[in-house]
């Protein structure tokens, strides 16, 4: 039995196969619409995340399966003092696969040690969110043809965003050799991660303070939200936020086939009129997230494309 | 692609066809039990309404479809500052049709401008609640044979009830020429609506302070809840509430084939012993609401009876 | 039409048949995976109980049915002042069967008097929780071969636990002649229940203060949670809780084929290392709870094994 707690749980071959399966399901959804008939997904959101929950619920239903679960902290057994291990053991009799989001780092890992059924980490604190990384990878493969070999720029909050950390590490595993990092001084990529990227993967990191300087060389522009609460004072935030906001103006010098990604939700870091630009694919990215989750569920349940001979 | 934001979005022919389709599904439910197989309804209640939500959820399931959604304000993306337009765009990838209830007037209309899938307004503030109107119409057609041609009385709070405003306007569109209005002075039908009814539809409005005066001439008696908080002081409320309460006593002079309707929930405006009177059909009205919603879903998804040649 | 409000609603033959049907479904789940196709369970938890709700939701889905409902107090119609009777009448049009949990004793009984569809009591205050009793009985039959004829010990809080009261009464109905009661002075079985057991069923009750004294004679050890809030002061609680905690040490003299049961959630009344003992079957007990609920749903809906000739 397999779990997905962090992207490193899967080999590069397995990840690429998942991405390809997701694209295959996207192209032939009818063929897979009953492969989870009779199966139940337990969707356990100890912390709310409507978007992630809906993406999983939709994925399971589009495979013909059912969903039980809660959208916010378990209001019952946990309050009575039950351990997570006990909750997960019992859940193994109610469902066939679990996705859990938890505010505590490491909770899904712990759960996987006691679980009789596969566990998917749907996000644990600021730590891991592996299906967001799979969503990013399937989007890159679908829109750029391959996972690696592109010039990738990350823009915004590169310090706190687990999404960025996970994707950049995974792209480095896949052989991407150069990343452009665009962020305010306060929100730079952590030193430890930079060291790991350079020493372990031989990656080149180019740090620039303005997107305009580099946008003409970029194949994939990955935008992230800058949260006001990351700054010591509002003046700094107001001064900086426009420097890291993507506008039509800034896109003038970008390549015709560049793609603009964003994990969503977007607040104001991408101007609304950018949505109409054909390079903006952040909504399609959400769409591909459903298909890669469908692929993941079939893999962990060993059904459909992953059914055992 | 079509949406249902307000009753005026559909022609009279379309509304009557929906009502007839609902009655046909009511008579032959098995025939339609799989027409939404593989389809997903996103049931987005930014404001709670258990009854409306359950009616839609049940309707979708009885058509063989699935439901994702939330029963109370989206606790996640909205808090992070995401626009409704973005939420709706993403939802278009998770589901095939949306029903949304929202505390803000106009929110479903706005949503429909950004949505890739059909949107049903499940109630927006005090503004519109078109599927309640459809529920009322299917009930009238089923129990009285035709939508128009009846003497209709509305009793209770005629000032604030969007249900009454919407139904009275729609019945006027269908050619009903006279309405009897029974309400306290404080809760009369708004002047602007009265003017519209008289000038645009040539309707005659008879306003009376007591139900007893008119009950012997009425074919359809539509009761509504009088909310205590509408009154300036409790004394006025207590004085008035019994005048607008339906009792067995008041029913003595009513026609044998009159029907008593109520959008529910009922508090104390209909005495419980009226339930046993064969003219009381307010529970059956809830039942018909499921069937007209089934018809509406099939229409907007263009499946089953509305499948394209 | 039948309801299940308390175990006494079913004859001993009916209960044993339910238990046997549950075991049959456990052995041949595929055979029953579509018997509730097109049916809807309304899962109405006016008080949260994640475990019970999930068990019912899973049971209905594993029979091919659908679920609507809420996991916490109805936030809508009830607030508007609607009576439970009205809520239940309307629900009869949205669903085919109801499970309800309610903080008020007697609420499910009241609901059953107004309901057009079968009602299952999922727990009403400290009063009844009949599907927990069915869960206990199916576990005993599966692991010990018969429902009665065993030496049963109950350990922990025997005063407040409705689970214990209901099971002990039902086992007495089935002919069990002796029970061992292990509890602190403050948490003894209520006198009225003791009298009923002795006078009505001719049962022998052996009360002991320590588990060690009797464990070598016991076939079934039923553990329960001792809640801190039951004690007047913390010192008493701390002094006592270890006396009623099951450890590997205490198990040394127990029979090889004794079974250890617990309704869960467990807090600290069973040491975690007891889980690895083959006599510990409290997690399997949760599993059997799904199957006996499947049997119950098919019985009340008269489908599958209970379909009418």
């Amino acid at each position: 039995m397999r779990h997905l707690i962090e992207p490193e749980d899967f080999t590069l071959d397995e990840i690429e196969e998942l991405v390809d399966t997701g694209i295959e399901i996207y192209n032939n959804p009818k063929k897979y619409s009953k492969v989870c008939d009779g199966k139940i997904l337990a969707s356990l959101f100890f912390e709310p995340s409507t978007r992630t929950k809906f993406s999983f619920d939709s994925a399971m239903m589009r495979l013909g399966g059912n969903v039980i679960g809660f959208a916010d902290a378990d209001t019952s057994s946990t309050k009575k003092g039950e351990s997570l291990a006990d909750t997960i053991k019992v859940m193994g009799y109610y469902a066939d696969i679990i996705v859990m989001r938890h505010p505590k780092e490491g909770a899904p890992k712990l759960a996987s040690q006691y679980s009789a059924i596969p566990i998917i980490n749907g996000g644990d604190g600021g730590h891991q969110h592996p299906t967001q990384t799979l969503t990013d990878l399937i989007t890159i493969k679908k829109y750029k043809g391959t996972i690696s070999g592109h010039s990738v720029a990350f823009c915004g909050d590169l310090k706190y965003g687990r999404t960025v950390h996970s994707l950049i590490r995974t792209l480095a595993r896949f052989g991407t050799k150069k990343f452009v990092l665009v962020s305010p001084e306060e929100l730079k990529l952590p030193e430890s991660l930079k060291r790991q990227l350079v020493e372990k993967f031989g990656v080149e990191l180019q740090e620039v303070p303005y997107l305009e300087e580099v946008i003409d060389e970029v194949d994939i522009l990955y935008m992230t939200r800058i949260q006001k609460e990351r700054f010591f004072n509002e003046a700094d935030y107001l001064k900086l936020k426009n420097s890291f906001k993507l506008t039509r103006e800034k896109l003038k010098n970008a390549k015709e086939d560049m793609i603009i990604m964003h994990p969503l939700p977007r607040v104001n870091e991408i101007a609304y009129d950018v949505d109409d630009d054909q390079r903006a694919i952040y909504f399609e990215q959400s769409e591909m997230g459903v298909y890669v989750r469908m692929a993941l569920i079939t893999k962990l349940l060993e059904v459909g494309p992953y059914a055992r001979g």
Side-chain angles (χ1 to χ4, degrees), chain A:
Chain A
M1 189 185 48
R2 303 286 297 275
H3 306 285
L4 175 58
I5 307 303
E6 54 182 35
E8 284 72 13
D9 291 340
F10 288 165
T11 65
L12 294 184
D13 281 353
E14 284 180 315
I15 291 175
E16 185 132 21
E17 195 192 26
L18 261 185
V19 160
D20 291 342
T21 303
I23 293 173
E24 153 69 9
I25 298 175
Y26 171 85
N27 288 324
N28 302 288
K30 283 242 160 107
K31 198 170 140 191
Y32 301 91
S33 68
K34 297 287 174 202
V35 298
C36 285
D37 183 45
K39 302 286 185 189
I40 297 175
L41 167 70
S43 173
L44 310 181
F45 282 67
F46 293 92
E47 174 180 75
S49 173
T50 309
R51 192 180 301 280
T52 304
K53 186 170 193 313
F54 280 8
S55 187
F56 272 107
D57 292 0
S58 181
M60 188 58 168
M61 288 173 179
R62 293 201 188 281
L63 293 166
N66 277 303
V67 180
I68 60 173
F70 46 81
D72 209 330
D74 179 353
T75 45
S76 177
S77 299
T78 302
K79 262 194 205 156
K80 291 177 185 159
E82 184 176 59
S83 71
L84 180 60
D86 277 17
T87 301
I88 292 296
K89 280 184 190 175
V90 173
M91 207 55 63
Y93 295 118
Y94 298 159
D96 301 290
I97 184 168
I98 292 171
V99 54
M100 68 182 281
R101 189 186 194 96
H102 205 284
K104 276 198 199 149
E105 294 188 11
K109 180 79 188 164
L110 179 75
S112 71
Q113 288 156 2
Y114 291 93
S115 181
I117 60 176
I119 296 213
I120 300 169
N121 181 1
D124 56 333
H127 192 224
Q128 296 280 355
H129 189 13
T131 62
Q132 179 64 51
T133 303
L134 290 176
T135 297
D136 297 339
L137 295 175
I138 192 175
T139 305
I140 292 173
K141 178 123 188 204
K142 177 162 187 285
Y143 286 90
K144 301 300 291 178
T146 57
I147 290 178
S148 61
H150 313 293
S151 161
V152 189
F154 290 91
C155 178
D157 174 0
L158 309 187
K159 183 171 180 187
Y160 298 101
R162 63 183 170 189
T163 298
V164 167
H165 302 174
S166 183
L167 178 57
I168 207 166
R169 208 158 35 217
T170 307
L171 286 175
R173 282 174 72 200
F174 269 100
T176 299
K177 284 300 171 209
K178 192 189 161 188
F179 297 98
V180 181
L181 308 173
V182 189
S183 70
E185 197 58 35
E186 294 90 333
L187 296 175
K188 280 186 160 181
L189 204 68
E191 283 304 321
S192 59
L193 177 55
K194 280 197 222 169
R195 221 167 18 243
Q196 190 195 356
L197 289 167
V198 172
E199 291 173 8
K200 188 165 171 194
F201 297 105
V203 153
E204 181 193 341
L205 296 173
Q206 179 186 1
E207 295 189 281
V208 297
Y210 298 109
L211 191 52
E212 292 89 329
E213 289 186 27
V214 291
I215 200 163
D216 59 326
E217 303 161 14
V218 168
D219 297 316
I220 298 168
L221 173 58
Y222 200 103
M223 298 295 300
T224 66
R225 195 153 49 104
I226 294 191
Q227 294 175 271
K228 205 193 251 181
E229 54 271 32
R230 301 300 189 197
F231 290 86
F232 286 116
N233 61 68
E234 181 141 352
D236 280 0
Y237 167 72
L238 291 174
K239 191 183 63 189
L240 279 167
K241 70 169 183 164
N242 283 326
S243 308
F244 302 92
K245 179 171 183 168
L246 186 64
T247 57
R248 284 207 158 227
E249 178 64 26
K250 288 184 190 165
L251 274 176
K252 271 189 188 162
N253 296 320
K255 292 185 185 176
E256 275 304 303
D257 64 350
M258 187 184 80
I259 57 173
I260 308 163
M261 297 177 68
H262 189 296
L264 302 184
R266 167 243 321 248
V267 180
N268 52 20
E269 57 281 1
I270 301 180
Y272 283 101
D273 61 5
V274 171
D275 295 4
D276 301 325
D277 191 294
Q278 95 281 355
R279 289 166 286 201
I281 57 151
Y282 28 89
F283 291 111
E284 288 81 359
Q285 192 179 346
S286 284
E287 178 179 29
M288 296 315 294
V290 178
Y291 291 98
V292 83
R293 287 182 176 102
M294 289 170 81
L296 176 63
I297 290 169
T298 62
K299 178 179 173 67
L300 296 179
L301 287 178
E302 299 179 352
V303 297
Y306 293 96
R308 289 197 167 166

